[in-house]
Amino acid sequence: MFSEIRTAAGHPLRTLDLFCKVVDNYGDIGICWRLARQLTHEHGLAVRLWVDDLISFRRLCPEVDIGAGLQQVQAVTVRHWRAQDQDGDFSAADVADIVIEFFGCEIPPRYVEAMAQRAVRPLWFNLEGLSAEEWVEGCHTLPSPHRSLKLTKYFFFPGFNRKTGGLSVEADLLARRQAFLQQGEDRAFLASLGVTEQEMQGCKVSLFCYDYAPLPALFSAWQDSALPVTCLVPEGVAPAAVEQFLGTAAQAGASATRGALTLRVLPFVPQPDYDKLLWSCDLNFVRGEDSWVRGQWAGKPFIWNIYQQDKNLHHVKLNAFLKIYQPATAELIDLARAWNGAYPGEIDWTTSWTALQQDLPGLTAGARQWIDTLLANGDFMTNLLSFARRLD
C-alpha cells in the first residue's frame, strides 16, 4: 500500500508527466524509462511518459509499439510526443500534479499555459544531467520563476553527495544483483550469449562506447594480453571498429579471435538484461549517463566514455568524477583519460592494460565499497518527492 504524497499545503500528488527528448540514442530514454517505472511501482504515482523517439525506446523495452500514439507499458502510460504536440491545445485537466522535463527539453508552450490555469499549480521540475562538478551543489533545487506566468520551475540535480539529489536506484536492485551472483546465474547468462566455458575463465569485458573511442588501440592491447580477454559488445556499438576487427558485418552472433582477444557481438538487450551483463563481467566500459550509473550500481570496475562536448568541456566533467571516485587507481585514471582523449601525450595501451588487469581484484573491492557511499546519499526519486513534500 502506497502512502499518499502531499505538499506542505496539503495538496495531493497523484499524477506525473515526464517529458523526454531523445538526444543521446539510448541514454535519455534509458534514464526516463527507469524513472517512470520506479515512480509507478515504488511510489504509486500515475505516470505518463512523453517521448519523441519510440524506435530507440523499443530497443530498451521490446514491448513498446512504435506505431502507437498512446499505450500502456508496464503500468506506465506512454505517449508518443509528436512534433504537432508542440502547437497542440491543452487544458488544465490535461496537466499532471507533477511535471518533469528531462535535461532541459522544452515542453509544449500551450501545456505550460495550461499549467498556469490549474487551480492548484503543478510542481514543475527540470531534471539535469549527472556531474561531479562542484557548481552542481549550488544549483540543486534552485527555483526559476516563469517570466510571465505564475509558475516556478525547480532544478533538481543527481549527484554524488548529500548536497545533490543522489543517484537513482530501485529499492530491490542490489538484492536482485546479489541473488543473481550468489546463485551462479551469471555463468548461465553468459552461456546464453554464446560465451564458452573456456572464455569464462579469462577476463570478461562488456563494451558500450561512442564511435570516437580509440577502439583499435584497445583491441591491439587486448590481443597482446598475457591473460585471455573476451569482449562482449552490443550490436550497433562502434560498428566501424568492430567490423574492422571481425573482418565481417558486426551482426549479433558474429565473433572472432585474434591473439588473446575474443570479440563477440551481442543482440542489443533490454534494460534488465543489460544489468545482468554488467553484473557478469569483470570490467565494464560504459558511456553517457544511464550505463555509467548502472555500471556503478553493478559493483564492478568500469571505464567511462563521456559524451563529447565542444571545446573539450567533457574533459572537465570527466576529471571532476575521477577526482571523487574513491576506488580509482592511477592506472584506471590514465586509461579513462586516454579513452576520452584527455590523456596528456601518448599512452602505452599494452602496458596500461596489463597494469589495470593486475589491479582488478582491488578495483572490484573498491567498487563494492563505492556502492555504500552512493547509498548514503539516498535515492534520486525518493529525494525529489521528499523535496516536493516541502513545497506549497
Side-chain angles (χ1 to χ4, degrees):
M1 193 72 179
F2 301 108
S3 58
E4 188 169 60
I5 305 168
R6 289 181 176 273
T7 66
H11 302 303
L13 302 172
R14 301 189 180 103
T15 60
L16 184 146
D17 274 354
L18 173 57
F19 289 83
C20 172
K21 283 193 174 182
V22 178
V23 179
D24 176 12
N25 291 342
Y26 309 108
D28 305 288
I29 183 55
I31 295 168
C32 289
W33 177 227
R34 292 187 196 280
L35 296 183
R37 283 179 296 168
Q38 187 180 9
L39 289 164
T40 299
H41 300 151
E42 296 183 14
H43 299 284
L45 291 169
V47 177
R48 182 168 52 179
L49 173 60
W50 298 63
V51 56
D52 64 338
D53 182 356
L54 294 181
I55 295 176
S56 292
F57 189 4
R58 186 170 67 174
R59 296 203 73 183
L60 301 177
C61 179
E63 300 169 48
V64 171
D65 179 356
I66 61 174
L70 192 68
Q71 58 189 301
Q72 287 287 120
V73 185
Q74 298 181 26
V76 175
T77 299
V78 176
R79 176 163 175 174
H80 188 187
W81 187 7
R82 304 177 191 273
Q84 58 264 34
D85 289 325
Q86 292 295 339
D87 301 316
D89 289 326
F90 297 95
S91 68
D94 295 320
V95 176
D97 300 325
I98 302 174
V99 178
I100 295 177
E101 55 187 49
F102 180 75
F103 207 35
C105 70
E106 293 188 5
I107 59 181
R110 293 187 181 178
Y111 184 99
V112 176
E113 293 172 4
M115 289 166 61
Q117 295 168 6
R118 276 188 39 146
V120 177
R121 302 293 191 272
L123 298 185
W124 186 9
F125 296 100
N126 181 16
L127 298 191
E128 286 288 348
L130 175 62
S131 177
E133 295 168 278
E134 291 184 5
W135 65 264
V136 167
E137 299 169 10
C139 294
H140 178 57
T141 70
L142 280 183
S144 175
H146 193 276
R147 60 184 179 274
S148 59
L149 301 172
K150 292 183 178 180
L151 293 170
T152 298
K153 176 165 56 177
Y154 293 88
F155 292 92
F156 209 82
F157 285 78
F160 298 98
N161 59 44
R162 291 181 178 273
K163 296 179 181 179
T164 68
L167 297 189
S168 178
V169 56
E170 304 94 305
D172 66 343
L173 177 65
L174 299 182
R176 286 191 284 114
R177 171 188 168 273
Q178 184 176 11
F180 178 84
L181 295 174
Q182 285 182 342
Q183 296 168 14
E185 294 179 34
D186 51 328
R187 298 183 70 85
F189 178 75
L190 290 174
S192 73
L193 299 175
V195 180
T196 67
E197 283 293 329
Q198 183 177 2
E199 291 164 359
M200 290 186 199
Q201 305 307 313
C203 183
K204 303 171 291 295
V205 180
S206 77
L207 177 63
F208 193 40
C209 65
Y210 294 112
D211 290 347
Y212 82 85
L215 273 175
L218 183 62
F219 286 166
S220 178
W222 282 344
Q223 290 178 71
D224 296 336
S225 176
L227 297 174
V229 176
T230 297
C231 176
L232 306 173
V233 55
E235 186 177 28
V237 173
V242 171
E243 288 181 0
Q244 183 180 13
F245 178 86
L246 293 173
T248 187
Q251 297 176 342
S255 66
T257 299
R258 304 183 190 282
L261 171 61
T262 296
L263 179 65
R264 291 190 173 277
V265 180
L266 309 181
F268 202 97
V269 297
Q271 280 186 333
D273 283 348
Y274 182 67
D275 281 328
K276 293 177 182 178
L277 179 64
L278 295 174
W279 301 341
S280 301
C281 289
D282 303 303
L283 174 67
N284 297 302
F285 283 74
V286 295
R287 81 178 198 191
E289 183 169 327
D290 184 49
S291 63
W292 176 33
V293 172
R294 302 311 279 195
Q296 294 177 66
W297 291 125
K300 295 292 183 74
F302 65 90
I303 301 287
W304 178 33
N305 195 197
I306 188 170
Y307 190 77
Q308 275 189 321
Q309 294 177 288
D310 292 338
K311 300 180 181 179
N312 288 329
L313 292 178
H314 56 296
H315 291 171
V316 176
K317 189 173 181 179
L318 172 70
N319 287 322
F321 175 70
L322 292 174
K323 182 178 179 180
I324 62 102
Y325 182 55
Q326 297 166 3
T329 61
E331 289 77 18
L332 184 141
I333 290 172
D334 285 349
L335 270 178
R337 287 175 173 161
W339 190 237
N340 289 280
Y343 187 82
E346 294 293 326
I347 192 170
D348 184 328
W349 285 90
T350 299
T351 300
S352 293
W353 167 249
T354 300
L356 181 71
Q357 199 171 42
Q358 292 171 349
D359 282 351
L360 282 180
L363 285 168
T364 302
R368 292 169 182 163
Q369 294 172 359
W370 180 245
I371 288 178
D372 294 332
T373 300
L374 299 178
L375 287 174
N377 302 321
D379 163 59
F380 186 48
M381 281 297 95
T382 301
N383 290 339
L384 182 142
L385 293 177
S386 295
F387 177 67
R389 287 185 173 96
R390 302 198 297 270
L391 300 174
D392 293 333

